[in-house]
mmCIF file of all heavy atoms in Angstrom:
data_model
loop_
_atom_site.group_PDB
_atom_site.id
_atom_site.type_symbol
_atom_site.label_atom_id
_atom_site.label_comp_id
_atom_site.label_asym_id
_atom_site.label_seq_id
_atom_site.Cartn_x
_atom_site.Cartn_y
_atom_site.Cartn_z
ATOM 1 N N ALA B 322 -10.521 -6.241 -1.481
ATOM 2 C CA ALA B 322 -11.440 -5.327 -2.233
ATOM 3 C C ALA B 322 -10.507 -4.661 -3.248
ATOM 4 O O ALA B 322 -10.904 -4.599 -4.519
ATOM 5 C CB ALA B 322 -11.981 -4.259 -1.290
ATOM 6 N N PRO B 323 -9.311 -4.109 -2.979
ATOM 7 C CA PRO B 323 -8.622 -3.437 -4.081
ATOM 8 C C PRO B 323 -8.259 -4.389 -5.227
ATOM 9 O O PRO B 323 -8.354 -4.098 -6.320
ATOM 10 C CB PRO B 323 -7.375 -2.901 -3.429
ATOM 11 C CG PRO B 323 -7.754 -2.750 -1.977
ATOM 12 C CD PRO B 323 -8.638 -3.853 -1.658
ATOM 13 N N ALA B 324 -7.835 -5.621 -4.839
ATOM 14 C CA ALA B 324 -7.488 -6.534 -5.959
ATOM 15 C C ALA B 324 -8.685 -6.956 -6.782
ATOM 16 O O ALA B 324 -8.549 -7.189 -8.013
ATOM 17 C CB ALA B 324 -6.951 -7.844 -5.263
ATOM 18 N N TYR B 325 -9.891 -6.925 -6.268
ATOM 19 C CA TYR B 325 -11.125 -7.191 -7.075
ATOM 20 C C TYR B 325 -11.495 -5.948 -7.813
ATOM 21 O O TYR B 325 -11.803 -5.926 -9.048
ATOM 22 C CB TYR B 325 -12.304 -7.536 -6.134
ATOM 23 C CG TYR B 325 -13.536 -7.798 -6.890
ATOM 24 C CD1 TYR B 325 -13.809 -9.137 -7.407
ATOM 25 C CD2 TYR B 325 -14.489 -6.817 -7.073
ATOM 26 C CE1 TYR B 325 -15.001 -9.280 -8.120
ATOM 27 C CE2 TYR B 325 -15.629 -7.016 -7.677
ATOM 28 C CZ TYR B 325 -15.927 -8.237 -8.271
ATOM 29 O OH TYR B 325 -17.153 -8.521 -8.970
ATOM 30 N N LEU B 326 -11.483 -4.797 -7.200
ATOM 31 C CA LEU B 326 -11.988 -3.575 -7.830
ATOM 32 C C LEU B 326 -11.122 -3.024 -8.931
ATOM 33 O O LEU B 326 -11.647 -2.393 -9.880
ATOM 34 C CB LEU B 326 -12.377 -2.494 -6.759
ATOM 35 C CG LEU B 326 -13.459 -2.911 -5.787
ATOM 36 C CD1 LEU B 326 -13.500 -1.950 -4.533
ATOM 37 C CD2 LEU B 326 -14.826 -2.916 -6.478
ATOM 38 N N VAL B 327 -9.849 -2.921 -8.591
ATOM 39 C CA VAL B 327 -8.922 -2.143 -9.541
ATOM 40 C C VAL B 327 -8.961 -2.633 -10.919
ATOM 41 O O VAL B 327 -9.083 -1.754 -11.827
ATOM 42 C CB VAL B 327 -7.487 -2.242 -9.016
ATOM 43 C CG1 VAL B 327 -6.431 -1.828 -10.056
ATOM 44 C CG2 VAL B 327 -7.338 -1.391 -7.626
ATOM 45 N N PRO B 328 -8.952 -3.884 -11.307
ATOM 46 C CA PRO B 328 -9.070 -4.245 -12.757
ATOM 47 C C PRO B 328 -10.355 -3.970 -13.277
ATOM 48 O O PRO B 328 -10.464 -3.885 -14.596
ATOM 49 C CB PRO B 328 -8.816 -5.770 -12.700
ATOM 50 C CG PRO B 328 -8.268 -6.122 -11.288
ATOM 51 C CD PRO B 328 -8.829 -5.156 -10.415
ATOM 52 N N ARG B 329 -11.398 -3.662 -12.571
ATOM 53 C CA ARG B 329 -12.757 -3.491 -13.108
ATOM 54 C C ARG B 329 -13.160 -2.087 -13.073
ATOM 55 O O ARG B 329 -14.173 -1.725 -13.827
ATOM 56 C CB ARG B 329 -13.762 -4.298 -12.195
ATOM 57 C CG ARG B 329 -13.529 -5.781 -12.343
ATOM 58 C CD ARG B 329 -14.245 -6.559 -11.152
ATOM 59 N NE ARG B 329 -14.202 -7.922 -11.390
ATOM 60 C CZ ARG B 329 -13.157 -8.848 -11.118
ATOM 61 N NH1 ARG B 329 -12.107 -8.220 -10.507
ATOM 62 N NH2 ARG B 329 -13.251 -10.019 -11.250
ATOM 63 N N ILE B 330 -12.525 -1.152 -12.349
ATOM 64 C CA ILE B 330 -12.973 0.216 -12.195
ATOM 65 C C ILE B 330 -12.375 1.122 -13.308
ATOM 66 O O ILE B 330 -11.232 0.859 -13.755
ATOM 67 C CB ILE B 330 -12.565 0.637 -10.721
ATOM 68 C CG1 ILE B 330 -13.587 1.799 -10.304
ATOM 69 C CG2 ILE B 330 -11.126 1.136 -10.684
ATOM 70 C CD1 ILE B 330 -13.408 1.941 -8.747
ATOM 71 N N GLU B 331 -13.241 2.106 -13.659
ATOM 72 C CA GLU B 331 -12.717 3.044 -14.690
ATOM 73 C C GLU B 331 -11.546 3.802 -14.020
ATOM 74 O O GLU B 331 -11.543 4.114 -12.844
ATOM 75 C CB GLU B 331 -13.796 3.993 -14.962
ATOM 76 C CG GLU B 331 -13.433 5.160 -15.966
ATOM 77 C CD GLU B 331 -14.525 6.227 -16.094
ATOM 78 O OE1 GLU B 331 -15.735 5.802 -16.245
ATOM 79 O OE2 GLU B 331 -14.141 7.316 -16.164
ATOM 80 N N ARG B 332 -10.560 3.986 -14.757
ATOM 81 C CA ARG B 332 -9.320 4.573 -14.212
ATOM 82 C C ARG B 332 -9.451 6.125 -14.150
ATOM 83 O O ARG B 332 -8.773 6.802 -14.926
ATOM 84 C CB ARG B 332 -8.082 4.130 -15.016
ATOM 85 C CG ARG B 332 -6.702 4.421 -14.312
ATOM 86 C CD ARG B 332 -6.602 3.714 -12.959
ATOM 87 N NE ARG B 332 -6.222 2.314 -13.179
ATOM 88 C CZ ARG B 332 -7.007 1.241 -12.926
ATOM 89 N NH1 ARG B 332 -8.245 1.475 -12.477
ATOM 90 N NH2 ARG B 332 -6.548 0.006 -13.147
ATOM 91 N N SER B 333 -10.238 6.536 -13.308
ATOM 92 C CA SER B 333 -10.453 8.032 -13.177
ATOM 93 C C SER B 333 -10.693 8.249 -11.592
ATOM 94 O O SER B 333 -11.228 7.384 -10.917
ATOM 95 C CB SER B 333 -11.530 8.578 -14.008
ATOM 96 O OG SER B 333 -12.866 8.349 -13.470
ATOM 97 N N TYR B 334 -10.296 9.408 -11.154
ATOM 98 C CA TYR B 334 -10.491 9.738 -9.717
ATOM 99 C C TYR B 334 -12.020 9.802 -9.410
ATOM 100 O O TYR B 334 -12.293 9.382 -8.420
ATOM 101 C CB TYR B 334 -9.845 11.084 -9.441
ATOM 102 C CG TYR B 334 -8.340 11.059 -9.649
ATOM 103 C CD1 TYR B 334 -7.736 11.468 -10.906
ATOM 104 C CD2 TYR B 334 -7.449 10.755 -8.592
ATOM 105 C CE1 TYR B 334 -6.399 11.491 -11.079
ATOM 106 C CE2 TYR B 334 -6.166 10.630 -8.698
ATOM 107 C CZ TYR B 334 -5.550 11.074 -9.925
ATOM 108 O OH TYR B 334 -4.224 11.061 -10.142
ATOM 109 N N ALA B 335 -12.756 10.390 -10.332
ATOM 110 C CA ALA B 335 -14.201 10.488 -10.067
ATOM 111 C C ALA B 335 -14.843 9.162 -9.991
ATOM 112 O O ALA B 335 -15.660 8.904 -9.096
ATOM 113 C CB ALA B 335 -14.840 11.423 -11.092
ATOM 114 N N ALA B 336 -14.512 8.205 -10.854
ATOM 115 C CA ALA B 336 -15.121 6.850 -10.910
ATOM 116 C C ALA B 336 -14.807 6.132 -9.627
ATOM 117 O O ALA B 336 -15.635 5.487 -9.017
ATOM 118 C CB ALA B 336 -14.711 6.168 -12.122
ATOM 119 N N ILE B 337 -13.551 6.202 -9.206
ATOM 120 C CA ILE B 337 -13.109 5.578 -7.998
ATOM 121 C C ILE B 337 -13.961 5.972 -6.824
ATOM 122 O O ILE B 337 -14.417 5.236 -6.028
ATOM 123 C CB ILE B 337 -11.550 5.692 -7.795
ATOM 124 C CG1 ILE B 337 -10.878 4.953 -8.822
ATOM 125 C CG2 ILE B 337 -11.239 5.238 -6.393
ATOM 126 C CD1 ILE B 337 -9.332 5.355 -8.889
ATOM 127 N N GLU B 338 -14.049 7.293 -6.722
ATOM 128 C CA GLU B 338 -14.818 7.862 -5.530
ATOM 129 C C GLU B 338 -16.282 7.500 -5.615
ATOM 130 O O GLU B 338 -16.934 7.143 -4.631
ATOM 131 C CB GLU B 338 -14.746 9.404 -5.573
ATOM 132 C CG GLU B 338 -15.384 10.047 -4.378
ATOM 133 C CD GLU B 338 -15.137 11.503 -4.263
ATOM 134 O OE1 GLU B 338 -14.421 12.074 -5.227
ATOM 135 O OE2 GLU B 338 -15.690 12.138 -3.399
ATOM 136 N N GLN B 339 -16.845 7.471 -6.832
ATOM 137 C CA GLN B 339 -18.271 7.113 -6.974
ATOM 138 C C GLN B 339 -18.490 5.652 -6.687
ATOM 139 O O GLN B 339 -19.547 5.281 -6.061
ATOM 140 C CB GLN B 339 -18.681 7.303 -8.480
ATOM 141 C CG GLN B 339 -18.894 8.808 -8.763
ATOM 142 C CD GLN B 339 -18.866 9.034 -10.315
ATOM 143 O OE1 GLN B 339 -18.934 8.109 -11.057
ATOM 144 N NE2 GLN B 339 -18.965 10.331 -10.712
ATOM 145 N N VAL B 340 -17.684 4.731 -7.021
ATOM 146 C CA VAL B 340 -17.744 3.309 -6.779
ATOM 147 C C VAL B 340 -17.627 3.075 -5.191
ATOM 148 O O VAL B 340 -18.497 2.339 -4.662
ATOM 149 C CB VAL B 340 -16.796 2.413 -7.488
ATOM 150 C CG1 VAL B 340 -16.728 1.009 -6.968
ATOM 151 C CG2 VAL B 340 -17.046 2.394 -8.896
ATOM 152 N N VAL B 341 -16.729 3.707 -4.570
ATOM 153 C CA VAL B 341 -16.602 3.559 -3.019
ATOM 154 C C VAL B 341 -17.909 4.108 -2.394
ATOM 155 O O VAL B 341 -18.467 3.566 -1.499
ATOM 156 C CB VAL B 341 -15.366 4.187 -2.541
ATOM 157 C CG1 VAL B 341 -15.357 4.180 -0.971
ATOM 158 C CG2 VAL B 341 -14.106 3.477 -3.111
ATOM 159 N N ASP B 342 -18.396 5.248 -2.893
ATOM 160 C CA ASP B 342 -19.655 5.766 -2.333
ATOM 161 C C ASP B 342 -20.766 4.929 -2.547
ATOM 162 O O ASP B 342 -21.628 4.597 -1.596
ATOM 163 C CB ASP B 342 -19.897 7.133 -3.049
ATOM 164 C CG ASP B 342 -21.153 7.802 -2.473
ATOM 165 O OD1 ASP B 342 -21.112 8.274 -1.260
ATOM 166 O OD2 ASP B 342 -22.157 7.892 -3.169
ATOM 167 N N ALA B 343 -20.789 4.179 -3.675
ATOM 168 C CA ALA B 343 -21.843 3.216 -3.999
ATOM 169 C C ALA B 343 -21.792 2.034 -3.097
ATOM 170 O O ALA B 343 -22.777 1.527 -2.472
ATOM 171 C CB ALA B 343 -21.914 2.824 -5.433
ATOM 172 N N ILE B 344 -20.527 1.568 -2.801
ATOM 173 C CA ILE B 344 -20.306 0.493 -1.892
ATOM 174 C C ILE B 344 -20.858 0.728 -0.524
ATOM 175 O O ILE B 344 -21.516 -0.016 0.094
ATOM 176 C CB ILE B 344 -18.833 0.044 -1.850
ATOM 177 C CG1 ILE B 344 -18.459 -0.619 -3.230
ATOM 178 C CG2 ILE B 344 -18.618 -0.931 -0.692
ATOM 179 C CD1 ILE B 344 -16.950 -0.845 -3.224
ATOM 180 N N ASP B 345 -20.560 1.941 -0.091
ATOM 181 C CA ASP B 345 -20.929 2.480 1.299
ATOM 182 C C ASP B 345 -22.516 2.511 1.274
ATOM 183 O O ASP B 345 -23.109 2.019 2.311
ATOM 184 C CB ASP B 345 -20.252 3.796 1.492
ATOM 185 C CG ASP B 345 -20.449 4.249 3.012
ATOM 186 O OD1 ASP B 345 -20.606 3.346 3.874
ATOM 187 O OD2 ASP B 345 -20.405 5.458 3.289
ATOM 188 N N ARG B 346 -23.071 3.108 0.304
ATOM 189 C CA ARG B 346 -24.522 3.197 0.292
ATOM 190 C C ARG B 346 -25.187 1.863 0.357
ATOM 191 O O ARG B 346 -26.117 1.586 1.093
ATOM 192 C CB ARG B 346 -24.954 4.075 -0.899
ATOM 193 C CG ARG B 346 -26.468 4.042 -1.075
ATOM 194 C CD ARG B 346 -26.789 5.096 -2.274
ATOM 195 N NE ARG B 346 -26.123 4.698 -3.425
ATOM 196 C CZ ARG B 346 -26.340 3.682 -4.266
ATOM 197 N NH1 ARG B 346 -27.464 2.931 -3.996
ATOM 198 N NH2 ARG B 346 -25.679 3.521 -5.388
ATOM 199 N N LEU B 347 -24.771 0.886 -0.555
ATOM 200 C CA LEU B 347 -25.386 -0.322 -0.616
ATOM 201 C C LEU B 347 -25.270 -1.210 0.648
ATOM 202 O O LEU B 347 -26.130 -1.846 1.026
ATOM 203 C CB LEU B 347 -24.795 -1.135 -1.818
ATOM 204 C CG LEU B 347 -25.201 -0.707 -3.266
ATOM 205 C CD1 LEU B 347 -24.493 -1.393 -4.292
ATOM 206 C CD2 LEU B 347 -26.703 -0.782 -3.406
ATOM 207 N N SER B 348 -24.072 -1.048 1.297
ATOM 208 C CA SER B 348 -23.728 -1.778 2.461
ATOM 209 C C SER B 348 -24.725 -1.201 3.546
ATOM 210 O O SER B 348 -25.229 -2.098 4.357
ATOM 211 C CB SER B 348 -22.346 -1.573 2.903
ATOM 212 O OG SER B 348 -22.012 -2.197 4.129
ATOM 213 N N LEU B 349 -24.979 -0.056 3.635
ATOM 214 C CA LEU B 349 -25.930 0.579 4.583
ATOM 215 C C LEU B 349 -27.278 0.191 4.248
ATOM 216 O O LEU B 349 -28.050 -0.200 5.227
ATOM 217 C CB LEU B 349 -25.678 2.191 4.643
ATOM 218 C CG LEU B 349 -24.375 2.699 5.296
ATOM 219 C CD1 LEU B 349 -24.297 4.216 5.079
ATOM 220 C CD2 LEU B 349 -24.357 2.341 6.771
ATOM 221 N N GLU B 350 -27.732 0.285 3.107
ATOM 222 C CA GLU B 350 -29.092 -0.056 2.756
ATOM 223 C C GLU B 350 -29.427 -1.544 3.124
ATOM 224 O O GLU B 350 -30.539 -1.883 3.547
ATOM 225 C CB GLU B 350 -29.313 0.149 1.181
ATOM 226 C CG GLU B 350 -29.368 1.649 0.844
ATOM 227 C CD GLU B 350 -29.413 1.887 -0.685
ATOM 228 O OE1 GLU B 350 -29.436 0.757 -1.390
ATOM 229 O OE2 GLU B 350 -29.647 3.000 -1.128
ATOM 230 N N ARG B 351 -28.359 -2.387 2.849
ATOM 231 C CA ARG B 351 -28.656 -3.848 3.059
ATOM 232 C C ARG B 351 -28.292 -4.225 4.462
ATOM 233 O O ARG B 351 -28.557 -5.361 4.849
ATOM 234 C CB ARG B 351 -27.784 -4.704 2.081
ATOM 235 C CG ARG B 351 -28.076 -4.358 0.620
ATOM 236 C CD ARG B 351 -27.249 -5.105 -0.383
ATOM 237 N NE ARG B 351 -27.501 -4.752 -1.718
ATOM 238 C CZ ARG B 351 -26.788 -5.262 -2.798
ATOM 239 N NH1 ARG B 351 -25.830 -6.060 -2.578
ATOM 240 N NH2 ARG B 351 -27.135 -4.934 -3.994
ATOM 241 N N LYS B 352 -27.767 -3.312 5.215
ATOM 242 C CA LYS B 352 -27.281 -3.677 6.618
ATOM 243 C C LYS B 352 -26.371 -4.842 6.538
ATOM 244 O O LYS B 352 -26.622 -5.869 7.327
ATOM 245 C CB LYS B 352 -28.416 -3.848 7.559
ATOM 246 C CG LYS B 352 -29.383 -2.569 7.627
ATOM 247 C CD LYS B 352 -30.505 -2.911 8.581
ATOM 248 C CE LYS B 352 -31.353 -1.562 8.696
ATOM 249 N NZ LYS B 352 -32.497 -1.784 9.543
ATOM 250 N N ALA B 353 -25.471 -4.969 5.634
ATOM 251 C CA ALA B 353 -24.626 -6.098 5.391
ATOM 252 C C ALA B 353 -23.168 -5.583 5.208
ATOM 253 O O ALA B 353 -22.893 -4.442 4.746
ATOM 254 C CB ALA B 353 -25.054 -6.828 4.129
ATOM 255 N N PRO B 354 -22.192 -6.388 5.440
ATOM 256 C CA PRO B 354 -20.811 -6.027 5.296
ATOM 257 C C PRO B 354 -20.584 -5.753 3.789
ATOM 258 O O PRO B 354 -21.194 -6.382 2.875
ATOM 259 C CB PRO B 354 -19.973 -7.282 5.802
ATOM 260 C CG PRO B 354 -20.940 -8.101 6.612
ATOM 261 C CD PRO B 354 -22.408 -7.843 6.046
ATOM 262 N N ALA B 355 -19.559 -5.026 3.511
ATOM 263 C CA ALA B 355 -19.142 -4.669 2.208
ATOM 264 C C ALA B 355 -18.242 -5.732 1.645
ATOM 265 O O ALA B 355 -16.977 -5.642 1.587
ATOM 266 C CB ALA B 355 -18.372 -3.281 2.081
ATOM 267 N N THR B 356 -18.790 -6.844 1.238
ATOM 268 C CA THR B 356 -18.151 -8.006 0.623
ATOM 269 C C THR B 356 -18.278 -7.926 -0.900
ATOM 270 O O THR B 356 -18.862 -7.120 -1.513
ATOM 271 C CB THR B 356 -18.594 -9.346 1.212
ATOM 272 O OG1 THR B 356 -20.051 -9.400 1.111
ATOM 273 C CG2 THR B 356 -18.287 -9.287 2.804
ATOM 274 N N MET B 357 -17.849 -9.095 -1.484
ATOM 275 C CA MET B 357 -17.724 -9.079 -2.955
ATOM 276 C C MET B 357 -19.012 -8.760 -3.667
ATOM 277 O O MET B 357 -19.114 -8.154 -4.735
ATOM 278 C CB MET B 357 -17.229 -10.407 -3.493
ATOM 279 C CG MET B 357 -16.930 -10.445 -5.004
ATOM 280 S SD MET B 357 -16.183 -11.967 -5.594
ATOM 281 C CE MET B 357 -14.526 -11.931 -4.768
ATOM 282 N N SER B 358 -20.187 -9.307 -3.114
ATOM 283 C CA SER B 358 -21.515 -9.122 -3.744
ATOM 284 C C SER B 358 -21.875 -7.613 -3.813
ATOM 285 O O SER B 358 -22.376 -7.027 -4.766
ATOM 286 C CB SER B 358 -22.570 -9.895 -3.096
ATOM 287 O OG SER B 358 -22.680 -9.542 -1.738
ATOM 288 N N VAL B 359 -21.516 -6.921 -2.724
ATOM 289 C CA VAL B 359 -21.720 -5.455 -2.664
ATOM 290 C C VAL B 359 -20.753 -4.771 -3.644
ATOM 291 O O VAL B 359 -21.182 -3.820 -4.320
ATOM 292 C CB VAL B 359 -21.556 -4.974 -1.231
ATOM 293 C CG1 VAL B 359 -21.671 -3.403 -1.190
ATOM 294 C CG2 VAL B 359 -22.595 -5.518 -0.368
ATOM 295 N N TRP B 360 -19.473 -5.126 -3.638
ATOM 296 C CA TRP B 360 -18.483 -4.574 -4.602
ATOM 297 C C TRP B 360 -19.012 -4.661 -6.066
ATOM 298 O O TRP B 360 -19.039 -3.683 -6.712
ATOM 299 C CB TRP B 360 -17.120 -5.200 -4.558
ATOM 300 C CG TRP B 360 -16.591 -5.411 -3.223
ATOM 301 C CD1 TRP B 360 -16.872 -4.680 -2.088
ATOM 302 C CD2 TRP B 360 -15.572 -6.248 -2.840
ATOM 303 N NE1 TRP B 360 -16.125 -5.047 -0.950
ATOM 304 C CE2 TRP B 360 -15.259 -6.080 -1.411
ATOM 305 C CE3 TRP B 360 -14.828 -7.216 -3.472
ATOM 306 C CZ2 TRP B 360 -14.362 -6.883 -0.815
ATOM 307 C CZ3 TRP B 360 -13.899 -8.069 -2.831
ATOM 308 C CH2 TRP B 360 -13.635 -7.838 -1.470
ATOM 309 N N ARG B 361 -19.507 -5.907 -6.391
ATOM 310 C CA ARG B 361 -19.923 -6.146 -7.753
ATOM 311 C C ARG B 361 -21.160 -5.207 -8.104
ATOM 312 O O ARG B 361 -21.158 -4.666 -9.146
ATOM 313 C CB ARG B 361 -20.193 -7.561 -7.938
ATOM 314 C CG ARG B 361 -20.695 -7.995 -9.329
ATOM 315 C CD ARG B 361 -21.110 -9.423 -9.407
ATOM 316 N NE ARG B 361 -22.234 -9.705 -8.559
ATOM 317 C CZ ARG B 361 -22.199 -10.563 -7.504
ATOM 318 N NH1 ARG B 361 -21.064 -11.261 -7.255
ATOM 319 N NH2 ARG B 361 -23.247 -10.819 -6.783
ATOM 320 N N ASP B 362 -22.102 -5.201 -7.173
ATOM 321 C CA ASP B 362 -23.311 -4.380 -7.480
ATOM 322 C C ASP B 362 -23.057 -2.973 -7.495
ATOM 323 O O ASP B 362 -23.660 -2.251 -8.347
ATOM 324 C CB ASP B 362 -24.432 -4.755 -6.388
ATOM 325 C CG ASP B 362 -24.927 -6.187 -6.519
ATOM 326 O OD1 ASP B 362 -24.647 -6.878 -7.519
ATOM 327 O OD2 ASP B 362 -25.559 -6.574 -5.550
ATOM 328 N N ALA B 363 -22.022 -2.521 -6.754
ATOM 329 C CA ALA B 363 -21.726 -1.102 -6.783
ATOM 330 C C ALA B 363 -21.132 -0.805 -8.097
ATOM 331 O O ALA B 363 -21.257 0.307 -8.774
ATOM 332 C CB ALA B 363 -20.705 -0.759 -5.627
ATOM 333 N N LEU B 364 -20.112 -1.649 -8.562
ATOM 334 C CA LEU B 364 -19.592 -1.465 -9.916
ATOM 335 C C LEU B 364 -20.722 -1.367 -10.963
ATOM 336 O O LEU B 364 -20.631 -0.555 -11.891
ATOM 337 C CB LEU B 364 -18.579 -2.530 -10.238
ATOM 338 C CG LEU B 364 -17.231 -2.457 -9.602
ATOM 339 C CD1 LEU B 364 -16.490 -3.807 -9.708
ATOM 340 C CD2 LEU B 364 -16.372 -1.358 -10.160
ATOM 341 N N GLU B 365 -21.541 -2.249 -10.926
ATOM 342 C CA GLU B 365 -22.670 -2.293 -11.947
ATOM 343 C C GLU B 365 -23.525 -1.017 -11.866
ATOM 344 O O GLU B 365 -23.933 -0.509 -12.859
ATOM 345 C CB GLU B 365 -23.589 -3.524 -11.686
ATOM 346 C CG GLU B 365 -22.887 -4.835 -12.042
ATOM 347 C CD GLU B 365 -23.851 -6.016 -11.893
ATOM 348 O OE1 GLU B 365 -25.041 -5.776 -11.544
ATOM 349 O OE2 GLU B 365 -23.413 -7.189 -12.126
ATOM 350 N N ALA B 366 -23.681 -0.529 -10.652
ATOM 351 C CA ALA B 366 -24.608 0.669 -10.542
ATOM 352 C C ALA B 366 -23.857 1.836 -11.124
ATOM 353 O O ALA B 366 -24.559 2.765 -11.651
ATOM 354 C CB ALA B 366 -24.850 0.932 -8.997
ATOM 355 N N VAL B 367 -22.555 1.966 -10.973
ATOM 356 C CA VAL B 367 -21.827 3.153 -11.407
ATOM 357 C C VAL B 367 -21.447 2.925 -12.909
ATOM 358 O O VAL B 367 -21.504 3.868 -13.617
ATOM 359 C CB VAL B 367 -20.585 3.314 -10.513
ATOM 360 C CG1 VAL B 367 -19.750 4.426 -11.102
ATOM 361 C CG2 VAL B 367 -21.026 3.653 -9.112
ATOM 362 N N GLN B 368 -20.931 1.787 -13.326
ATOM 363 C CA GLN B 368 -20.309 1.575 -14.602
ATOM 364 C C GLN B 368 -21.084 0.647 -15.469
ATOM 365 O O GLN B 368 -20.643 0.586 -16.707
ATOM 366 C CB GLN B 368 -18.848 1.100 -14.429
ATOM 367 C CG GLN B 368 -18.040 1.984 -13.506
ATOM 368 C CD GLN B 368 -16.592 1.462 -13.404
ATOM 369 O OE1 GLN B 368 -15.760 2.207 -12.892
ATOM 370 N NE2 GLN B 368 -16.321 0.256 -13.814
#
Side-chain angles (χ1 to χ4, degrees):
Y325 178 87
L326 292 169
V327 166
R329 297 165 171 80
I330 206 165
E331 179 187 319
R332 196 61 80 249
S333 77
Y334 296 93
I337 291 168
E338 185 174 359
Q339 289 166 3
V340 168
V341 175
D342 184 68
I344 291 171
D345 191 25
R346 175 176 50 79
L347 290 173
S348 179
L349 289 171
E350 288 175 355
R351 299 175 184 181
K352 298 180 180 180
T356 53
M357 187 178 293
S358 62
V359 175
W360 310 338
R361 182 182 63 242
D362 291 347
L364 283 166
E365 292 184 1
V367 173
Q368 301 183 173

